[in-house]
């Protein structure tokens, strides 16, 4: 019987991988599409600007996330100073803040009419034009916003690497006459480099995928370019070609990330961990460490969250109406269904990998999970093109045969939105489910069988209780990711169908910042849940302390 | 050993293959009720595969497996593991991390009344010496405690046969023998029939009544520990069990073999006629240190092992042998010491090329 299931299972996994790679294959196919006049025009006019801006954005965010992420990771991993234990998880808070929300919050704060400049004028008596104030809606502003919310990727992986490295190598470098700083630069940093690079490439994937911030700041980069070309010029081919170009950069990052993660494995120096001896910081140095850790938390979370709260307090009575309720229900339903679907699919793939193994299954699962790197804009374009084609084909066919128009069955429906979420977030649920399944050693299955349990009973009595936590985590993370997702929802949602994220972004784009804050705050608060979970799990699994599984 | 009335496990000519690779080749053995058997061999010899075939996790491509005189596996029948009434202790213990010690132990007692489950758990917890740890979780236990819980869990349903797959391999080396003796005592106390798989002969000697030495998917010798050491039937067993050196020689008379160590007297196995070229196995305990002896050898290497020294000695003929000497005989390297040879029975194999 097991064989007959296996026979269907493997092709099913390959099919899933194929279906989920439709967007990538579609976009990839446009590389070879003959270029139209629009493309030539774009190439001569805006494309160089997009390239330049994207490159500068990537460079700036790299510098920003690296300097914040690595310094805070080192301080919280290796040093002792007041508030350190708190900062370990406080530093994760900005993960809950979507970039587009922090962007318009700071715009409201730093605007000419915003509280900061108003206060400045009150104190100094300056008037309009009397002073220079940096423009937040600029490339530099976008770099700061993205760095503030994306540094946790670098922080998380770098800190884990610092904690995992054997204290022996650091002690060896000390005995060889290398001081604390020298040990950091010559030993710890090089050893943690693969992890740091992996964290950075994740942050840069998010940077390239960002639509909300750059569009709000009016910056011409790839994602905004795809939008303008598609909706402004109505040229799907040119938009898809631009998406293909973006995809190339993203794949470079994927390769860098995967290679780095592999190297990170080889850079493990030992499996023997002792308690890390922390450098006790005193006086000025402790104060400095305190502020280095405080600033990212302050500007990445506390200030914008405070501003959102104060706006929400002003406007919530008007905003909490029936349409807001509908938004919330929409968001909930969409998020929950996407979460359930993606966890179910992840279970199907993860169990397939466990039971079947084999190269074709492994490769298929890799392909199915590649979507985490693909910008939502690209996924959306890659979905809408084939879906529209399919819709038109069916429509033509039905009209010829039955003289009946089916209209747009797929491309204008929630089905398309849901599909985009699956492509984009399957990797998230898959990773969580796989790590949960990894904790159930095959010998536990055997133990249950030897104790008189049939395979199905083993599934219910052994796997279910052990997997429960991982499944809930996967549901939660996917739900929150869906709730925060902006560009794909914006493009693919059915007419007049709104979510909290879309509504917040639309209101903000209409300069109704205060009105958008209720929806935005809701996204941030719900987004805190997985961050809290994450901070709990990292504080429990510190290498060097007893964590016997 | 072959009293058919009380045979608990019988394996008849089984073959096991992974893909095209044959792991087990026409293997047979039997184990009587209440005995502790051991499959001993180097890694990759197929010993775990045999255990898994008995448990029902692997299906032999031919041959039979019988448990309590009931066929559990042959060409037609293949009883799944849950129907074989076996208990198994795994290398990594495979305790369920979400269950307490007590819940782990009663896991296999489904269908028992709650009260009986409770009583059985109390009984087993007392037996493994952990009566106060019923509510603990596996991660709160030491390795040795986890191992005893795994044992109690496997024994709880009173299985026909208990299978132990390298149960001590994740333990500290110093603990293994002691644990093996403790486990033996527990099994004997409950009159459990068990099969142990290990690559460590000390574990096997400490625990098992009878041992199958395996190599390349076949049983080389099924015997007691004493016989494996003193009467190995081939060179593989002689090399694998214990220490020793092999010295070439020639049979010169009924009970005499001429070697570079001189003429050695002892029982020569049948079939070795005078003139046969043979290899003689010399164990460290065949070379006795004797200060008064006229025969001497030079100490080449020495390893202090607490109660004794294992000396590597160079004989006048140039050949090197091992000698086990009580440790108050402290001799330096290059020192010449008196020895004499003492053989009860010769271990002699026809010369291999």
């Amino acid at each position: 019987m097991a064989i007959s299931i296996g026979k269907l299972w493997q092709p099913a996994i390959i099919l899933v991988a194929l279906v989920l790679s439709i967007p990538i294959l579609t976009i990839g196919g446009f590389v070879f599409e003959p270029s139209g006049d629009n493309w030539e025009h774009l190439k001569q006019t805006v494309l160089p600007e997009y390239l330049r801006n994207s490159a500068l954005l990537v460079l700036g965010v790299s510098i920003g996330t690296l300097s914040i992420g690595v310094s805070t990771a080192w301080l919280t991993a290796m040093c002792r100073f007041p508030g350190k234990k708190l900062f370990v998880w406080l530093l994760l808070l900005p993960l809950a803040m979507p970039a587009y929300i922090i962007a318009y919050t700071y715009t409201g704060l730093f605007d000419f009419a915003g509280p900061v400049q108003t206060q400045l004028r009150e104190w100094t008596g300056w008037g309009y034009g009397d002073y220079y104030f940096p423009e937040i809606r600029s490339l530099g502003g976008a770099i700061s916003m993205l760095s503030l919310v994306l540094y946790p990727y670098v922080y998380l992986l770098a800190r884990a690497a610092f904690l995992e490295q054997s204290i022996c190598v650091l002690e060896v470098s000390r005995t060889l006459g290398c001081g604390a700083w020298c040990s950091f630069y010559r030993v710890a940093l090089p050893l943690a480099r693969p992890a740091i690079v992996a964290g950075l490439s994740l942050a840069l994937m998010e940077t390239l995928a960002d639509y909300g911030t750059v569009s709000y700041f009016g910056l011409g980069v790839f994602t905004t370019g795809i939008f303008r070309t598609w909706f402004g010029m109505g040229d799907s081919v040119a938009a898809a070609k631009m998406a293909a170009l973006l995809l190339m950069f993203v794949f470079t990052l994927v390769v860098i990330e995967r290679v780095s993660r592999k190297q990170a494995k080889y850079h493990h120096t030992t499996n023997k961990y002792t308690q890390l001896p922390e450098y006790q910081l005193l006086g000025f140095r402790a104060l400095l460490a305190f502020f280095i850790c405080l600033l990212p938390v302050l500007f990445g979370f506390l200030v914008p969250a405070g501003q959102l709260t104060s706006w929400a307090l002003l406007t919530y009575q008007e905003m909490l109406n029936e349409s807001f309720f509908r938004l919330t229900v929409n968001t909930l339903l969409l998020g929950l269904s996407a979460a359930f679907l993606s966890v179910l699919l992840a279970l199907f793939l993860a169990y397939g990998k466990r039971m079947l193994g084999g190269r074709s299954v492994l490769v298929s699962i890799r392909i199915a999970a590649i979507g985490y790197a693909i910008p939502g804009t690209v996924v959306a374009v890659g979905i809408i093109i084939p879906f529209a084609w399919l819709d038109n084909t069916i429509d033509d066919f039905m009209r010829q045969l039955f003289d009946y128009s089916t209209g747009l069955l797929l491309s204008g429906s929630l089905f398309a939105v849901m599909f985009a979420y699956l492509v984009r977030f399957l990797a998230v649920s898959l990773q969580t489910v796989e790590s949960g399944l990894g904790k159930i050693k095959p010998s536990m299955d055997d133990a249950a069988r030897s104790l008189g349990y049939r395979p199905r009973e083993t599934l219910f009595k052994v796997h279910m209780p052990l997997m429960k936590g991982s499944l809930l985590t996967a549901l939660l993370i996917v739900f929150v990711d869906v709730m925060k997702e902006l560009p794909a929802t914006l493009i693919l949602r059915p007419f007049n169908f709104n979510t909290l994220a879309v509504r917040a972004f639309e209101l903000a784009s209409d300069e109704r910042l205060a009105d958008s804050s209720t929806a935005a705050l809701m996204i941030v608060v719900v987004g805190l849940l997985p961050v809290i979970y994450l901070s709990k799990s990292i504080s429990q699994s510190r290498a060097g302390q007893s964590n016997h599984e | 050993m072959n009293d058919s009335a009380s045979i608990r496990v019988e394996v008849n000519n089984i073959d096991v293959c992974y893909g095209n690779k044959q792991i087990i080749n026409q293997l047979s053995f039997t184990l009587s009720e209440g005995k502790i058997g051991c499959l001993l061999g180097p890694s990759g010899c197929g010993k775990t595969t045999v255990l898994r075939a008995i448990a029902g996790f692997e299906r032999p491509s031919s041959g039979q497996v019988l448990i309590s005189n009931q066929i559990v596996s042959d060409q037609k029948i293949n009883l799944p593991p849950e129907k074989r009434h076996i208990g198994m202790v795994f290398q990594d213990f495979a305790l369920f991390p979400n269950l307490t010690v007590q819940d782990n132990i009663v896991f296999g007692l489904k269908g028992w009344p709650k009260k009986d489950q409770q009583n059985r758990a109390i009984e087993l917890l007392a037996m493994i010496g952990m009566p106060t740890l019923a509510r603990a979780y596996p991660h709160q236990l030491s390795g040795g405690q986890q191992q005893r819980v795994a044992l109690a869990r496997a024994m709880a349903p009173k299985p026909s046969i208990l299978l132990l797959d390298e149960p001590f391999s994740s333990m500290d080396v110093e603990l293994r023998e002691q644990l093996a003796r403790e486990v033996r005592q527990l099994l004997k106390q409950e009159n459990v029939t068990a099969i142990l798989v290990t690559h460590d002969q000390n574990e096997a000697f400490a625990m098992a009544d009878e041992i199958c030495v395996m190599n390349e998917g076949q049983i080389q010798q099924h015997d007691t520990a004493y016989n494996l050491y003193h009467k190995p039937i081939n060179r593989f067993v002689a090399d694998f069990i214990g220490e020793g050196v092999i010295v070439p020689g020639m049979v010169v008379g009924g009970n005499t073999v001429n070697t570079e160590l001189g003429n050695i007297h002892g029982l020569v196995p049948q079939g070795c006629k005078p003139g046969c070229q043979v290899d003689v196995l010399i164990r460290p305990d065949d070379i006795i240190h004797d200060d008064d002896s006229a025969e001497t050898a030079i100490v080449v290497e020495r390893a202090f092992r607490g109660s004794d020294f294992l000396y590597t000695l160079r004989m006048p003929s140039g050949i090197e042998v091992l000698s086990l000497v009580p440790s108050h005989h402290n001799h330096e390297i290059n020192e010449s010491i008196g020895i004499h040879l003492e053989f009860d029975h010769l271990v002699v194999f026809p010369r291999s090329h």
Side-chain angles (χ1 to χ4, degrees):
Chain A
M1 196 188 81
I3 295 162
S4 68
I5 293 173
K7 268 185 182 155
L8 281 177
W9 205 338
Q10 186 177 1
I13 288 174
I14 296 171
L15 185 72
V16 166
L18 273 177
V19 170
L20 287 179
S21 48
I22 285 176
I24 299 175
L25 293 177
T26 306
I27 297 298
F30 274 94
V31 174
F32 308 104
E33 194 82 353
S35 45
D37 292 343
N38 279 337
W39 179 248
E40 290 304 319
H41 175 71
L42 289 171
K43 227 160 86 179
Q44 276 156 26
T45 52
V46 289
L47 209 55
E49 184 206 331
Y50 292 168
L51 259 174
R52 194 181 62 96
N53 279 346
S54 292
L56 286 175
L57 199 61
V58 162
L59 187 71
V61 173
S62 302
I63 296 170
T65 52
L66 281 180
S67 49
I68 302 175
V70 176
S71 61
T72 52
W74 177 257
L75 287 172
T76 54
M78 304 297 295
C79 302
R80 212 175 322 151
F81 57 94
K84 170 224 157 126
K85 282 223 166 77
L86 221 53
F87 280 126
V88 168
W89 66 270
L90 280 181
L91 280 162
L92 292 173
L93 287 182
L95 270 184
M97 191 66 75
Y100 56 90
I101 289 180
I102 199 178
Y104 75 70
T105 313
Y106 272 109
T107 310
L109 266 170
F110 288 139
D111 249 1
F112 181 74
V116 174
Q117 290 204 43
T118 309
Q119 192 66 54
L120 195 69
R121 286 194 299 273
E122 235 167 65
W123 282 339
T124 57
W126 291 331
Y128 176 75
D130 289 347
Y131 60 96
Y132 166 77
F133 197 84
E135 173 57 67
I136 183 87
R137 300 176 76 154
S138 63
L139 187 64
I143 288 173
S144 317
M145 297 300 106
L146 288 168
S147 298
L148 276 176
V149 294
L150 295 179
Y151 80 82
Y153 288 107
V154 177
Y155 163 76
L156 261 177
L157 290 178
R159 183 164 183 276
F162 288 145
L163 287 179
E164 271 174 17
Q165 67 200 0
S166 154
I167 195 62
C168 296
V169 292
L170 288 180
E171 281 174 350
V172 165
S173 89
R174 299 294 291 273
T175 60
L176 295 173
C178 219
W181 281 108
C182 163
S183 297
F184 172 69
Y185 279 115
R186 289 188 50 191
V187 181
L189 204 55
L191 279 177
R193 198 195 60 218
I196 294 171
V197 171
L200 179 65
S201 36
L202 286 177
L204 293 183
M205 283 174 205
E206 293 282 329
T207 306
L208 286 178
D210 173 75
Y211 170 75
T213 314
V214 286
S215 130
Y216 187 68
F217 284 181
L219 287 175
V221 294
F222 277 109
T223 44
T224 48
I226 294 167
F227 250 81
R228 283 181 205 163
T229 316
W230 184 282
F231 292 106
M233 302 169 69
D235 187 340
S236 57
V237 176
K241 278 186 92 74
M242 206 176 288
L245 209 54
L246 176 53
L247 208 53
M248 265 168 42
F249 290 105
V250 171
F251 275 139
T252 316
L253 287 175
V254 171
V255 171
I256 293 174
E257 189 222 347
R258 293 234 159 126
V259 170
S260 305
R261 284 200 189 252
K262 259 197 198 140
Q263 282 178 345
K265 277 188 205 150
Y266 297 127
H267 278 65
H268 270 220
T269 41
T270 177
N271 286 323
K272 272 205 165 141
Y273 301 119
T274 46
Q275 177 86 43
L276 291 169
E278 296 164 328
Y279 302 113
Q280 175 76 55
L281 301 181
L282 294 167
F284 171 72
R285 295 222 255 162
L287 200 68
L288 189 68
F290 182 82
F291 275 105
I292 288 176
C293 291
L294 178 67
L295 291 182
V297 182
L298 194 65
F299 290 116
F301 187 80
L302 298 180
V303 168
Q307 175 67 67
L308 283 176
T309 312
S310 78
W311 278 334
L313 285 176
L314 286 176
T315 58
Y316 79 97
Q317 275 163 328
E318 284 173 66
M319 295 311 295
L320 286 180
N321 51 23
E322 197 198 329
S323 86
F324 186 84
F325 177 73
R326 208 162 40 237
L327 283 181
T328 314
V329 171
N330 280 351
T331 310
L332 258 173
L333 287 180
L334 209 56
L336 284 179
S337 0
F340 272 108
L341 265 178
S342 118
V343 169
L344 273 181
L345 205 55
L347 273 172
F348 173 75
L349 296 177
Y351 270 97
K353 188 171 159 187
R354 182 184 173 104
M355 312 289 285
L356 306 173
R359 211 176 155 67
S360 63
V361 171
L362 292 185
V363 171
S364 299
I365 290 176
R366 275 245 161 139
I367 292 172
I370 196 81
Y372 73 100
I374 317 294
T377 330
V378 177
V379 172
V381 172
I383 286 177
I384 211 162
I385 291 173
F387 276 25
W389 172 82
L390 200 64
D391 281 343
N392 286 331
T393 314
I394 295 172
D395 190 54
D396 282 351
F397 180 75
M398 295 298 273
R399 254 195 284 203
Q400 274 175 11
L401 231 64
F402 307 109
D403 197 23
Y404 173 77
S405 170
T406 52
L408 298 179
L409 285 173
L410 299 174
S411 48
S413 70
L414 282 177
F415 178 81
V417 182
M418 203 60 78
F419 183 58
Y421 292 155
L422 278 186
V423 171
R424 189 106 165 79
F425 300 126
L426 179 65
V428 175
S429 55
L430 190 63
Q431 198 182 13
T432 319
V433 169
E434 274 197 303
S435 81
L437 202 54
K439 286 189 203 134
I440 306 175
K441 287 171 277 183
S443 62
M444 288 185 200
D445 294 18
D446 291 351
R449 297 289 300 277
S450 74
L451 290 166
Y453 286 78
R454 288 191 292 273
R456 186 194 297 255
E457 291 173 308
T458 305
L459 190 65
F460 283 104
K461 290 283 283 188
V462 178
H463 284 229
M464 287 278 263
L466 285 169
M467 287 292 286
K468 213 167 48 190
S470 307
L471 293 185
L472 281 176
T473 312
L475 281 175
L476 175 69
I477 298 180
V478 176
F479 175 78
V480 170
D481 272 342
V482 166
M483 195 187 64
K484 296 200 291 196
E485 210 287 332
L486 184 63
T489 320
L490 211 53
I491 297 179
L492 293 172
R493 74 203 152 112
F495 186 65
N496 255 347
F497 182 89
N498 273 342
T499 64
L500 284 173
V502 169
R503 189 71 189 134
F505 181 72
E506 279 179 349
L507 284 170
S509 300
D510 295 344
E511 298 299 332
R512 293 170 61 190
L513 297 182
D515 289 345
S516 76
S517 61
T518 313
L521 197 61
M522 197 131 155
I523 294 173
V524 173
V525 169
V526 179
L528 276 177
L529 294 177
V531 175
I532 291 167
Y533 172 81
L534 188 66
S535 64
K536 253 175 94 180
S537 66
I538 64 165
S539 68
Q540 279 165 0
S541 66
R542 184 190 192 283
Q545 285 178 343
S546 61
N547 58 331
H548 296 293
E549 272 287 302
Chain B
M1 227 180 296
N2 281 322
D3 180 3
S4 68
S6 63
I7 284 179
R8 185 49 70 86
V9 179
E10 190 176 343
V11 175
N12 286 332
N13 298 317
I14 58 164
D15 285 336
V16 184
C17 304
Y18 291 146
N20 292 327
K21 197 162 175 251
Q22 185 157 8
I23 306 294
I24 300 300
N25 189 359
Q26 290 290 304
L27 182 137
S28 306
F29 73 94
T30 59
L31 186 69
S32 305
E33 194 178 314
K35 293 283 182 195
I36 300 173
C38 175
L39 297 169
L40 173 66
S43 62
C45 73
K47 53 195 190 297
T48 296
T49 308
V50 175
L51 200 72
R52 291 178 66 80
I54 296 170
F57 294 118
E58 308 290 345
R59 182 171 190 178
S61 52
S62 69
Q64 278 184 324
V65 178
L66 292 89
I67 298 177
S68 304
N69 294 318
Q70 186 205 354
I71 295 176
V72 292
S73 169
D74 67 4
Q75 291 313 98
K76 285 175 238 128
I77 301 167
N78 184 38
L79 226 52
E82 63 268 21
K83 297 245 169 77
R84 293 192 180 196
H85 205 235
I86 48 158
M88 190 154 174
V89 176
F90 295 84
Q91 200 169 351
D92 57 5
F93 313 144
L95 294 177
F96 302 117
N98 55 324
L99 301 180
T100 60
V101 166
Q102 172 153 353
D103 289 341
N104 263 290
I105 291 176
V106 302
F107 191 85
L109 302 181
K110 54 174 188 166
W112 287 36
K114 267 271 171 295
K115 193 73 206 147
D116 293 355
Q117 291 193 7
Q118 174 93 15
N119 289 338
R120 181 69 175 146
I122 291 171
E123 184 188 349
L124 285 162
L125 281 166
M127 184 192 83
I128 60 173
M130 296 168 56
T132 56
L133 290 171
R135 299 262 139 261
Y137 282 91
H139 66 93
Q140 297 167 308
L141 305 178
S142 71
Q145 289 173 325
Q146 289 185 22
Q147 204 241 351
R148 278 182 278 162
V149 174
L151 185 70
R153 181 180 69 179
M155 283 168 66
K158 303 189 172 161
S160 313
I161 171 94
L162 185 68
L163 307 170
L164 303 110
D165 183 11
E166 302 257 7
F168 309 107
S169 61
S170 58
M171 300 290 171
D172 288 340
V173 178
E174 310 87 71
L175 279 177
R176 285 185 196 169
E177 260 187 79
Q178 186 203 334
L179 280 167
R181 268 192 297 275
E182 280 174 19
V183 170
R184 177 183 167 84
Q185 214 171 5
L186 291 176
L187 297 183
K188 285 294 167 193
Q189 216 172 298
E190 297 253 318
N191 195 31
V192 175
T193 314
I195 299 177
L196 165 78
V197 157
T198 182
H199 61 272
D200 181 337
Q201 49 184 300
N202 294 327
E203 258 172 59
F205 292 168
M207 195 164 150
D209 298 314
E210 45 193 270
I211 298 168
C212 296
V213 176
M214 280 186 67
N215 190 38
E216 292 178 343
Q218 287 178 315
I219 290 177
Q220 307 291 317
Q221 186 171 358
H222 180 170
D223 222 323
T224 61
Y226 183 88
N227 283 348
L228 289 173
Y229 187 81
H230 288 293
K231 298 179 185 168
I233 61 159
N234 59 29
R235 279 198 64 160
F236 176 82
V237 178
D239 277 339
F240 189 74
I241 304 286
E243 287 150 324
V245 290
I246 287 189
V247 175
M250 190 175 75
V251 180
V252 289
N255 282 335
T256 308
V257 178
N258 181 259
T259 69
E260 293 181 46
L261 302 174
N263 281 348
I264 300 174
H265 305 283
L267 286 173
V268 173
Q270 290 181 340
C272 284
K273 299 195 168 56
C276 273
Q277 296 289 321
V278 291
D279 286 323
V280 183
L281 172 69
I282 311 229
R283 295 287 193 198
D285 43 343
D286 294 332
I287 313 272
I288 310 290
H289 173 44
D290 180 358
D291 286 325
D292 302 331
S293 173
E295 254 183 292
T296 58
I298 294 164
V299 177
V300 178
E301 222 181 282
R302 53 183 217 155
F304 182 63
R305 308 212 293 197
S307 60
D308 46 42
F309 275 109
L310 183 66
Y311 287 112
T312 306
L313 303 174
R314 185 180 302 124
M315 304 297 286
S317 66
I319 203 156
E320 288 184 1
V321 293
L322 300 170
S323 174
L324 209 54
V325 177
S327 73
H328 52 264
H329 292 272
N330 189 0
H331 296 287
E332 299 300 322
I333 286 176
N334 286 332
E335 206 176 313
S336 192
I337 64 171
I339 53 163
H340 74 261
L341 310 179
E342 199 174 289
F343 295 92
D344 286 343
H345 34 250
L346 289 176
V347 179
V348 172
F349 307 114
R351 169 74 47 82
S352 60
H353 304 284

